[in-house]
Amino acid sequence: MLTKKPPVLQSFLSLVSRRASHLARQQYDVIVVGGGHAGTEAAAAAARVGAETLLVTQKTNTIGALSCNPSLGGVGKGHLVKEVDALDGLCGRAGDWAGIHFSILNRSKGPAVWGPRAQLDRQRYREFIQSELLSTPRLTVLEGSVEELLVTEPNPEEPGHHRVTGIHLANGSHPILASSVILTTGTFLSGSLFVGQTTSPGGRIGDAPSSAGLSHTLRERLGLRIGRLRTGTPPRIVKDTVDLSLTNLHPPDSHPTPFSFLNTHTRCKPEEQLPCYLTHTTPGVDRVVRESLHLNCHIQQDTKGPRYCPSIESRVLRFPGRRHQVWLEPEGLNSDLLYPQGLSMTMPPDVQLRLIREIPALHRAEIHTPGYGVQYDFVCPTQLSPALQVKSTQGLFLAGQINGTTGYEEAAAQGLWAGVNAARSALSMPPVALSRTESYIGVLIDDLVSRGVTEPYRMFTSRAEFRTSLRPDNADLRLTHERSHKLFEVRCVSSLRYQEAVRVRDGLQDALAALQTLTLSTHLWRKKLPDIGISESKSTILTGMDLLQYNNVSFEMLASVFPECLSPYMEFSQRLNIEAVYRPHCDLQKKEIERIQKEENMTLPQDIDYFSLPVSLSQEVREILDRVRPSTLGAATRLQGMTPAAVVNLLRYVQHTGQRGRRTHRNQPDQKEEREEELCARNASLPQ
Amino acid sequence: MLPFTCRGIWRAAVHTLRTSRGMPPCRLLSTCDGVPPGLADAETIFALSSGHGRCGVAVIRVSGPASATALRCMAGLTRSLPPPRTALLRSITDSQAKEVLDRGLVLWFPAPHSFTGEDSVEFHIHGGPAVVTAVLQALGSVPGMRPAEAGEFTRRAFQAGKLGLTEVEGLGDLIHAETEAQRRQALRQMSGELGRLYQDWSHRLKRCLAHVEAFIDFSEDELIEDGVLNQVDRSVCTLQAEMVRHLKDERRGERLRSGVQVVIAGATNAGKSSLLNTLCQRPAAIVSPIAGTTRDVVETALDIGGFPVLLSDTAGLRDSLDLVEREGVRRARERVEQADLTLVVVDCAYLPTDVQQAAAFLQGHLKSVLQTQEQPETALPADRYLLVLNKTDLVPEDQRQKLDRELRQVSGLPPVCLISCHTNEGLQDFLTVLHSNVKTLCGDPLSGAPTLTQARHRAHLQQCVAALAQYQRYRDADLALAAEGVRLALTSLGRITGRVGAEEILDIIFKDFCIGK
């Protein structure tokens, strides 16, 4: 995969403009608005699934741009990258192509929470994404600004009050029609930029603001609930002006681990990788922040900002008198800039300079581009279905920051899933949902659509209930292989990738079987592996699997003792080491996973009138249910403010209506018993 | 007025219990399975909430949408309803027969401020059976009304979110309470003492989890010191110790609910069945001078000083060739093994006259008669056995006093009581000792740590303790699996106190740490 060189940017742009000027069609299956992480994944996924797809973006050369930090992955986010890759998305392979500093975070804390991460070369990342889009069949890219959505009467056979049938470009004479439209407008929806006391419309510095028409359509025409969030980015610093000797060098892993399951190595050679640098804030930084508060509009606003990616201003104000970390990260192999992670700020540029110079390593630093804040509209995501479609509007899908999330990986994950579903909807196929029991993407989407957001949403491993099962190392088996019956059929995953996943699964199964059949007495094991403290008291016969669960035993060690039966599986050694330790825990989780999946299979009708439902529900609960309209009982259970009684009643309602459908079967006594048990079990695990 | 209401609730509970005895509390929800779900709650139910039989005041309770209609019909209130939750003296009439049935208090509890969360009415009428029957009949003739099923008031209260799980279980106990002590403990759980204990644990576990999660999700980029984990180690240790101690309460709460198992055992013809009959003051077991009269276990329920006791008389322990008797002996030994308290009955006449020898004889006797498979050699735990020396009327007075005096001072013997089932001599002293033993076994419900009343709680707490051990096992090898231990612990506890969501953990993380990236 990495051997393919992306074509030079020039040819890409020329091709784009050629397509734009001779727009072959006025109708597509799917139109994607926006060319960021969500938009590119959405467009590529929709095209993979088989939809004729159009990607519309304001500036084609910013497709695949990294607007903020030059990095991908991390703890929790790395899981998302692996999953997007397992579903044949772009960002994993793009990361392997553009990475210039690879490291696995949390290496000491257990494979379930390892965070694969890379610093990226901005230029290379953009190149890769653009070339991928160019080589994707059925995908057209068009430069333009979307003025408005075409809204018509809904198809009466489907739920919804409106239907989106296409877009209107700002300077286009004809509308462009499509069955599905995906909005991935990022921070551009009514975005405003803040530096010091000045405010200007826009979603990113250097780009034109998006039209106000879109925001107006969503709010007024479609009646969607819109909220406002804020974020920010730090100033970029000229590398030559930084005294790196006053920082702590932070080297990358000596052997870069690629994100993609298809790659065995990264483009960047191990020795070519660049380091990061760590430094800290000083009391002087605190002082500058406090002295300049009156010059800082952004920070005075009470729009919700993230708690975990706060500006230096909010960090200083919330935790005064502390030393905060500042990471200086490379922006690219040939870039002369550094990105100061942790110094996002919105004060006037001259004060920004004063502030960074309070840090010893930056005492002579120059700012290339000042930091700024952005405020933007987002659509409250509880108005979306698990397929990321707006429930009230047929044909309209949303992904990325417009749904209240933050981060490239979160955007990419949603983009991919919205793309798959928008294409399926356009091709008259039923929507597909990913469960939170099988993926972080499922956790992300379920959290968004069933709980909503009050601050920009970011992925953490602590959000996943089944973290031990949802590991970065097994994303391919969880998604590429397991979901194949649905996804492979609709071509979300290429046959190349599917076959690779099958090969890996078979290899792992064979290796595990070989380990299981490798049985020796403890006495013999001690002889073969004298350095392992195998206790006498253990049962006399141990398998290779049992041995692998020892802390200091690795598959490599076993393979060196039994080369004849284990050496064929050396390529899976790390996965086998992980599998041996985690398998018993995952088996324990299976029952709970099955229970949740069962609840998720109990769908609540979308047109249900909660206010007249003939079951005992408090007015408050009815209001919550009416507002969120959870699509399954499982989602209803996780709503805040749901009482145990309400869930029990809903469960009964679901079962009752389900029963009415198959009246012909009289209740068998044992079925009844099972229901009662379920009620009790339900009951025992309910929120109070 | 408040005492009235409380009593009403209490009586409602007691009433429903009477018809639903033996049904475990967790099945409360499923009692209405015959009624189509969803429709059940549209009906209005009524029942006599106070005890059956002759009493001064009877309380009849009505709950459901037609409560107001019932009140209007029965109390002759044509226009306005009485002020909420205020007693009003009215004539209670049968609206169809236009006949005054009684004169009593009516109380109106509009939803949601009622026990069930629905519109409710209470009628406090005179307690004669004729009056009660007449009022119940009149209520039944009001359209939309039907008699309540067992546990239905509680179930409705639960469905309306008026009761948490702990409270429902407490109420379950309340419903099943037959003795004063049980009632006291059940009331205590209702007011949430146990709930508070669990909530405190849950709160501390949440913090532990939040700190581990913060270390996992943020420590790579943020200043989260390793000290955080050491603190978690300490908290986990303390919590584990507290839970183990709580679990080690010797099942006192469960005992209180189902009764203390007291078994009478001993050699044949020692007077075991006579002791049973004496204690329950009726000839429950056949007594005869023939050895081996009792061949099977004879059980009887007793109330000893307010504590429920299940007393079992067993076959005399001896080697026998009779197959039936051998089975009886096997059952007797089985009972002794399961017993909370064993009364070892010894015939005084067989005691050696020398007191020293008597002590040795008793020790040998105890071991031979009661040896259990688990602890053949170790000393018998003193609080699980009582030595009852029966037939004191057959030994001379001075010998008896000597025994009484000196056997108490012999170490290694369980408490000794001298009684005569024939003359009732020493019975009062014996009852005092028995009472204090039973009380210890049950735990005084009004003092000390709240005890477990539900086997379910116990199971979840055990899972919780096991999960915390997982934390310790993986703490150094794999923090993700260690954290999984704390998560599982919190989930198990959450099955008692309510689920803890990821958001709650994140809230603690952001409150406690400066997370910047």
Side-chain angles (χ1 to χ4, degrees):
Chain A
M1 194 56 52
L2 284 168
T3 48
K4 186 188 71 187
K5 276 255 175 229
V8 287
L9 208 55
Q10 199 52 49
S11 70
F12 175 70
L13 289 177
S14 63
L15 192 68
V16 164
S17 48
R18 182 172 56 78
R19 286 202 187 175
S21 52
H22 308 286
L23 204 62
R25 20 164 95 237
Q26 298 298 327
Q27 173 142 21
Y28 289 85
D29 293 324
V30 175
I31 294 175
V32 179
V33 181
H37 296 268
T40 52
E41 294 286 358
R48 279 203 303 281
V49 169
E52 280 298 333
T53 306
L54 176 73
L55 189 152
V56 185
T57 181
Q58 287 192 5
K59 257 202 284 187
T60 44
N61 69 354
T62 59
I63 288 178
L66 302 164
S67 312
C68 191
N69 49 311
S71 62
L72 186 73
V75 180
K77 288 166 170 277
H79 289 69
L80 287 173
V81 176
K82 295 293 267 189
E83 291 185 357
V84 167
D85 180 69
L87 294 169
D88 238 352
L90 311 174
C91 68
R93 285 176 296 130
D96 292 342
W97 178 265
I100 50 171
H101 168 124
F102 288 85
S103 63
I104 293 205
L105 306 185
N106 271 351
R107 178 80 83 171
S108 63
K109 293 175 201 154
V113 295
W114 283 356
R117 184 175 186 278
Q119 296 297 146
L120 304 174
D121 181 305
R122 290 179 188 278
Q123 180 71 20
R124 285 185 176 184
Y125 192 87
R126 215 163 58 202
E127 273 169 25
F128 185 92
I129 295 283
Q130 293 185 359
S131 89
E132 274 287 316
L133 292 188
L134 184 70
S135 61
T136 304
R138 293 181 290 274
L139 176 59
T140 311
V141 178
L142 173 67
E143 190 167 277
S145 182
V146 176
E147 178 67 41
E148 236 182 320
L149 295 174
L150 300 175
V151 181
T152 63
E153 288 303 304
N155 175 353
E157 283 159 26
E158 288 166 30
H161 309 306
H162 310 279
R163 175 172 184 78
V164 167
T165 55
I167 55 167
H168 227 113
L169 291 179
N171 49 4
S173 46
H174 305 288
I176 309 177
L177 302 179
S179 308
S180 305
V181 174
I182 309 175
L183 294 183
T184 67
T185 51
T187 55
F188 281 83
L189 199 64
S190 302
S192 27
L193 304 173
F194 290 80
V195 186
Q197 289 168 297
T198 57
T199 308
S200 54
R204 177 168 58 200
I205 278 222
D207 287 317
S210 69
S211 90
L214 208 50
S215 189
H216 184 264
T217 309
L218 294 178
R219 200 189 293 263
E220 304 300 332
R221 182 79 173 83
L222 302 179
L224 295 179
R225 266 176 296 116
I226 307 276
R228 208 151 168 80
L229 291 172
R230 71 175 180 202
T231 185
T233 194
R236 311 301 196 266
I237 294 170
V238 179
K239 190 174 182 177
D240 291 345
T241 61
V242 178
D243 189 347
L244 292 174
S245 66
L246 295 176
T247 63
N248 298 324
L249 189 82
H250 200 80
D253 288 355
S254 49
H255 297 290
T257 314
F259 288 107
S260 175
F261 287 98
L262 294 182
N263 287 335
T264 51
H265 60 281
T266 59
R267 180 189 179 192
C268 189
K269 294 197 181 69
E271 66 278 7
E272 287 171 1
Q273 296 185 88
L274 297 180
C276 291
Y277 308 91
L278 176 62
T279 182
H280 294 92
T281 61
T282 58
V285 170
D286 280 36
R287 202 178 53 244
V288 175
V289 166
R290 265 191 290 274
E291 284 170 6
S292 64
L293 275 185
H294 61 289
L295 302 172
N296 201 332
C297 291
H298 191 61
I299 211 72
Q300 290 158 8
Q301 310 250 346
D302 56 7
T303 318
K304 288 283 171 61
R307 287 180 295 184
Y308 34 77
C309 187
S311 58
I312 187 66
E313 292 95 324
S314 36
R315 301 173 98 185
V316 163
L317 295 176
R318 273 181 52 215
F319 295 93
R322 285 213 208 163
R323 221 165 67 119
H324 301 285
Q325 289 184 331
V326 176
W327 291 91
L328 301 174
E329 303 176 347
E331 292 240 316
L333 273 187
N334 304 312
S335 168
D336 50 4
L337 299 182
L338 285 176
Y339 176 92
Q341 179 82 262
L343 282 186
S344 151
M345 56 180 87
T346 54
M347 53 197 68
D350 56 315
V351 186
Q352 293 191 15
L353 190 65
R354 242 174 71 208
L355 185 146
I356 64 163
R357 289 190 169 177
E358 291 290 340
I359 297 171
L362 303 176
H363 67 284
R364 273 201 305 267
E366 292 295 340
I367 288 178
H368 177 268
T369 321
Y372 59 91
V374 191
Q375 288 193 5
Y376 56 96
D377 280 354
F378 77 101
V379 176
C380 300
T382 51
Q383 300 167 103
L384 304 178
S385 75
L388 294 176
Q389 187 195 330
V390 176
K391 289 187 220 170
S392 66
T393 309
Q394 297 163 6
L396 182 62
F397 294 78
L398 309 177
Q401 273 171 306
I402 193 171
N403 291 339
T405 62
T406 174
Y408 303 156
E409 303 81 358
E410 288 83 351
Q414 292 171 67
L416 185 143
W417 207 242
V420 166
N421 276 296
R424 287 180 66 89
S425 157
L427 303 174
S428 306
M429 292 189 279
V432 279
L434 274 177
S435 161
R436 62 187 299 130
T437 59
E438 64 188 343
S439 63
Y440 275 66
I441 303 182
V443 171
L444 165 71
I445 294 176
D446 184 56
D447 279 352
L448 289 179
V449 305
S450 57
R451 303 167 65 97
V453 296
T454 51
E455 61 180 331
Y457 180 99
R458 179 189 146 178
M459 185 46 73
F460 304 113
T461 68
S462 48
R463 295 192 193 270
E465 292 87 344
F466 302 104
R467 184 165 65 189
T468 4
S469 307
L470 311 184
R471 302 188 307 271
D473 66 275
N474 65 6
D476 55 343
L477 297 192
R478 286 188 279 122
L479 297 169
T480 317
H481 185 260
E482 283 295 320
R483 314 267 324 163
S484 61
H485 54 287
K486 284 182 198 162
L487 301 183
F488 182 64
E489 273 169 30
V490 295
R491 282 163 293 188
C492 172
V493 176
S494 70
S495 63
L496 171 78
R497 187 180 287 273
Y498 178 66
Q499 276 151 21
E500 171 64 9
V502 170
R503 187 189 72 81
V504 168
R505 186 213 44 188
D506 293 347
L508 277 173
Q509 271 177 0
D510 293 349
L512 289 172
L515 282 167
Q516 203 62 258
T517 48
L518 191 62
T519 49
L520 291 183
S521 68
T522 22
H523 177 69
L524 272 177
W525 277 117
R526 263 202 300 275
K527 242 182 182 171
K528 297 261 184 199
L529 297 164
D531 301 335
I532 312 303
I534 303 171
S535 58
E536 293 272 1
S537 61
K538 280 270 158 63
S539 62
T540 45
I541 301 288
L542 289 177
T543 67
M545 266 308 251
D546 296 330
L547 260 281
L548 262 193
Q549 289 177 20
Y550 277 70
N551 238 342
N552 44 359
V553 178
S554 68
F555 183 78
E556 291 86 340
M557 285 166 74
L558 296 184
S560 68
V561 183
F562 299 98
E564 66 291 350
C565 63
L566 295 183
S567 59
Y569 310 111
M570 277 308 287
E571 67 164 311
F572 305 122
S573 59
Q574 174 165 302
R575 294 184 71 153
L576 288 166
N577 288 331
I578 299 173
E579 201 64 35
V581 177
Y582 276 77
R583 182 152 287 199
H585 298 276
C586 296
D587 287 346
L588 284 180
Q589 288 191 337
K590 251 184 199 142
K591 202 174 167 198
E592 179 68 3
I593 287 179
E594 279 162 14
R595 187 184 67 75
I596 291 188
Q597 281 175 346
K598 206 160 137 198
E599 274 172 13
E600 277 170 355
N601 288 335
M602 291 192 205
T603 49
L604 297 169
Q606 282 309 293
D607 51 355
I608 198 166
D609 180 2
Y610 285 106
F611 290 104
S612 65
L613 208 61
V615 294
S616 165
L617 294 174
S618 72
Q619 191 62 19
E620 192 193 346
V621 166
R622 283 176 199 270
E623 276 164 20
I624 294 171
L625 287 168
D626 184 63
R627 194 177 66 237
V628 181
R629 305 210 144 263
S631 39
T632 65
L633 190 76
T637 310
R638 290 185 288 276
L639 291 179
Q640 261 167 5
M642 282 296 278
T643 61
V647 177
V648 170
N649 278 321
L650 272 182
L651 176 68
R652 289 191 156 175
Y653 176 78
V654 170
Q655 284 176 334
H656 181 54
T657 46
Q659 249 168 31
R660 260 196 315 227
R662 39 189 162 82
R663 255 285 141 84
T664 41
H665 305 278
R666 279 292 298 163
N667 256 344
Q668 308 279 307
D670 53 341
Q671 280 177 345
K672 198 166 153 189
E673 194 71 24
E674 196 179 285
R675 268 210 338 279
E676 280 174 19
E677 261 172 36
E678 207 172 316
L679 277 173
C680 293
R682 237 300 8 110
N683 215 359
S685 60
L686 286 173
Q688 295 265 302
Chain B
M1 192 217 71
L2 192 63
F4 265 106
T5 322
C6 289
R7 204 161 67 187
I9 294 170
W10 163 229
R11 287 184 174 163
V14 169
H15 164 62
T16 39
L17 106 102
R18 304 240 151 134
T19 35
S20 75
R21 280 259 281 280
M23 188 176 277
C26 70
R27 291 174 74 94
L28 278 174
L29 276 170
S30 48
T31 48
C32 74
D33 257 294
V35 185
L39 294 176
D41 300 316
E43 294 181 79
T44 301
I45 52 171
F46 64 92
L48 174 65
S49 298
S50 50
H52 285 277
R54 189 168 293 279
C55 52
V57 175
V59 177
I60 291 172
R61 172 179 267 206
V62 182
S63 176
S67 298
T69 318
L71 180 57
R72 282 205 185 88
C73 293
M74 302 287 295
L77 297 158
T78 42
R79 264 170 262 139
S80 60
L81 289 163
R85 299 175 299 283
T86 306
L88 192 66
L89 184 65
R90 299 292 299 177
S91 291
I92 313 288
T93 54
D94 181 337
S95 57
Q96 295 201 321
K98 302 268 183 289
E99 179 191 352
V100 176
L101 303 172
D102 193 8
R103 201 167 156 73
L105 296 178
V106 295
L107 287 113
W108 164 233
F109 303 91
H113 303 291
S114 70
F115 173 63
T116 54
E118 303 174 316
D119 283 350
S120 295
V121 170
E122 279 183 20
F123 296 96
H124 297 216
I125 54 176
H126 291 101
V131 176
V132 171
T133 312
V135 174
L136 286 176
Q137 269 175 5
L139 274 172
S141 67
V142 176
M145 306 275 289
R146 66 166 171 82
E149 292 173 27
E152 209 173 355
F153 283 101
T154 315
R155 186 176 58 78
R156 289 191 177 198
F158 177 58
Q159 288 188 337
K162 286 277 174 180
L163 301 168
L165 271 184
T166 343
E167 285 170 297
V168 167
E169 276 164 14
L171 195 70
D173 278 359
L174 192 56
I175 286 172
H176 286 268
E178 289 187 73
T179 62
E180 182 63 14
Q182 274 178 325
R183 189 188 66 81
R184 281 188 293 173
Q185 191 184 32
L187 276 177
R188 216 161 49 106
Q189 187 176 351
M190 283 280 285
S191 69
E193 193 165 327
L194 197 59
R196 268 201 299 283
L197 177 72
Y198 294 156
Q199 286 299 346
D200 172 58
W201 282 343
S202 167
H203 178 71
R204 284 154 62 193
L205 262 181
K206 265 186 261 178
R207 278 187 71 93
C208 287
L209 183 58
H211 287 203
V212 179
E213 297 289 8
F215 194 73
I216 286 176
D217 272 337
F218 302 103
S219 68
E220 289 281 348
D221 299 306
E222 288 304 323
L223 297 162
I224 293 176
E225 306 83 12
D226 287 16
V228 165
L229 284 190
N230 296 335
Q231 213 178 312
V232 172
D233 294 347
R234 282 193 295 277
S235 302
V236 165
C237 248
T238 321
L239 272 168
Q240 214 182 357
E242 281 177 33
M243 288 177 190
V244 168
R245 201 178 317 137
H246 183 71
L247 281 169
K248 269 208 188 127
D249 72 349
E250 300 277 323
R251 297 174 44 248
R252 277 186 297 193
E254 286 158 55
R255 231 176 243 140
L256 184 52
R257 209 150 50 87
S258 51
V260 178
Q261 301 277 333
V262 178
V263 172
I264 306 176
T268 48
N269 245 5
K272 298 181 294 298
S273 301
S274 301
L275 179 61
L276 175 88
N277 290 347
T278 308
L279 284 173
C280 62
Q281 294 167 334
R282 65 189 165 91
I286 303 166
V287 264
S288 84
I290 302 161
T293 304
T294 307
R295 295 191 162 192
D296 201 352
V297 178
V298 178
E299 278 186 353
T300 183
L302 283 183
D303 177 327
I304 292 179
F307 295 98
V309 167
L310 191 70
L311 191 63
S312 314
D313 179 24
T314 61
L317 300 165
R318 67 166 176 184
D319 292 328
S320 168
L321 292 176
D322 182 334
L323 276 180
V324 179
E325 191 176 353
R326 270 162 73 166
E327 174 60 19
V329 171
R330 192 194 63 76
R331 290 186 186 188
R333 292 202 186 272
E334 192 179 80
R335 278 301 166 107
V336 170
E337 275 183 38
Q338 294 166 352
D340 295 318
L341 181 66
T342 305
L343 308 178
V344 182
V345 185
V346 179
D347 186 342
C348 274
Y350 286 94
L351 277 182
T353 39
D354 179 69
V355 175
Q356 282 308 317
Q357 281 175 20
F361 170 84
L362 285 173
Q363 261 159 351
H365 182 75
L366 271 176
K367 283 201 173 146
S368 73
V369 166
L370 300 173
Q371 59 172 311
T372 58
Q373 271 112 22
E374 305 134 34
Q375 31 179 247
E377 294 306 318
T378 49
L380 298 160
D383 56 347
R384 288 191 55 197
Y385 298 94
L386 276 183
L387 258 179
V388 183
L389 305 187
N390 190 21
K391 307 192 189 176
T392 51
D393 51 312
L394 295 184
V395 294
E397 175 69 24
D398 58 332
Q399 168 74 2
R400 196 178 71 230
Q401 283 178 359
K402 209 171 129 197
L403 276 174
D404 195 14
R405 203 169 48 242
E406 297 188 16
L407 279 179
R408 285 179 203 277
Q409 286 154 19
V410 179
S411 62
L413 272 188
V416 179
C417 299
L418 283 85
I419 63 163
S420 162
C421 293
H422 187 61
T423 62
N424 282 353
E425 194 185 350
L427 188 65
Q428 205 49 51
D429 290 345
F430 167 66
L431 280 177
T432 312
V433 175
L434 185 60
H435 177 221
S436 89
N437 260 284
V438 168
K439 191 171 165 183
T440 316
L441 282 167
C442 288
D444 186 343
L446 293 186
S447 71
T451 50
L452 303 170
T453 56
Q454 295 285 336
R456 189 174 77 78
H457 289 188
R458 180 175 196 77
H460 291 315
L461 284 181
Q462 274 163 344
Q463 286 165 7
C464 189
V465 171
L468 289 179
Q470 177 176 334
Y471 171 81
Q472 286 154 341
R473 188 163 66 247
Y474 286 104
R475 161 69 168 79
D476 297 317
D478 188 319
L479 198 61
L481 290 178
E484 192 62 28
V486 186
R487 283 176 170 214
L488 286 172
L490 199 52
T491 310
S492 304
L493 196 58
R495 300 214 191 281
I496 307 174
T497 59
R499 204 175 67 92
V500 178
E503 278 304 316
E504 222 175 306
I505 300 299
L506 285 170
D507 282 341
I508 299 178
I509 293 180
F510 293 123
K511 220 178 288 160
D512 289 6
F513 300 100
C514 171
I515 305 297
K517 187 148 185 171

